[in-house]
Amino acid sequence: VEIQLGKYKKAVEEINRRQESGEDPTIDPDEEMKANTAHLMSAVATLPQLTERKRILDKHTNIATSLLGQIKNRNLDHFHQLEEDLLSGKVDMNAVMQTIQ
């Protein structure tokens, strides 16, 4: 999710960077208009892709957040740590049985 979010942010920054480039007095106004039009058309063309990518990222983030909440609600992290401690010999069997019940 983080990798895809980074790619999304990079694409949005690229569009914004193109949009924010300042005017250069040495550039022919007609050429600048053509370049700006091309950048605008490119941004409009990529907008649906970026919107879909953001929607999917939001969906995955919501699922991950929900799963994490369920893990915490059910104390699964505690059971995992208990299992690790049991395997390494750090916990006695009575403590394990007490937690299970």
Side-chain angles (χ1 to χ4, degrees), residues 21-29 32:
S21 62
E23 293 184 23
D24 185 355
T26 62
I27 297 177
D28 179 29
E32 186 176 18

Side-chain angles (χ1 to χ4, degrees), residues 12-67:
V12 170
E13 286 173 5
E14 177 67 22
I15 290 171
N16 289 337
R17 186 180 56 77
R18 286 181 186 170
Q19 184 180 17
E20 293 172 354
S21 62
E23 293 184 23
D24 185 355
T26 62
I27 297 177
D28 179 29
D30 290 334
E31 291 298 319
E32 186 176 18
M33 180 64 83
K34 288 179 186 177
N36 287 341
T37 302
H39 291 308
L40 182 59
M41 289 176 65
S42 173
V44 169
T46 59
L47 187 60
Q49 295 168 348
L50 289 174
T51 303
E52 179 63 14
R53 189 183 303 172
K54 179 70 167 120
R55 187 185 67 76
I56 291 170
L57 282 169
D58 287 343
K59 186 188 316 182
H60 284 265
T61 303
N62 290 339
I63 290 170
T65 302
S66 178
L67 286 172

Side-chain angles (χ1 to χ4, degrees), residues 5 9 22-23 26 28 33 55 57 59 67 74 76 79-80 82-83 88 92 94 96-97 99 101:
L5 184 58
K9 286 181 180 180
E23 293 184 23
T26 62
D28 179 29
M33 180 64 83
R55 187 185 67 76
L57 282 169
K59 186 188 316 182
L67 286 172
R74 296 178 182 189
L76 295 178
F79 283 110
H80 173 72
L82 185 63
E83 179 184 23
S88 65
D92 66 337
N94 289 334
V96 171
M97 294 308 289
T99 302
Q101 295 173 352

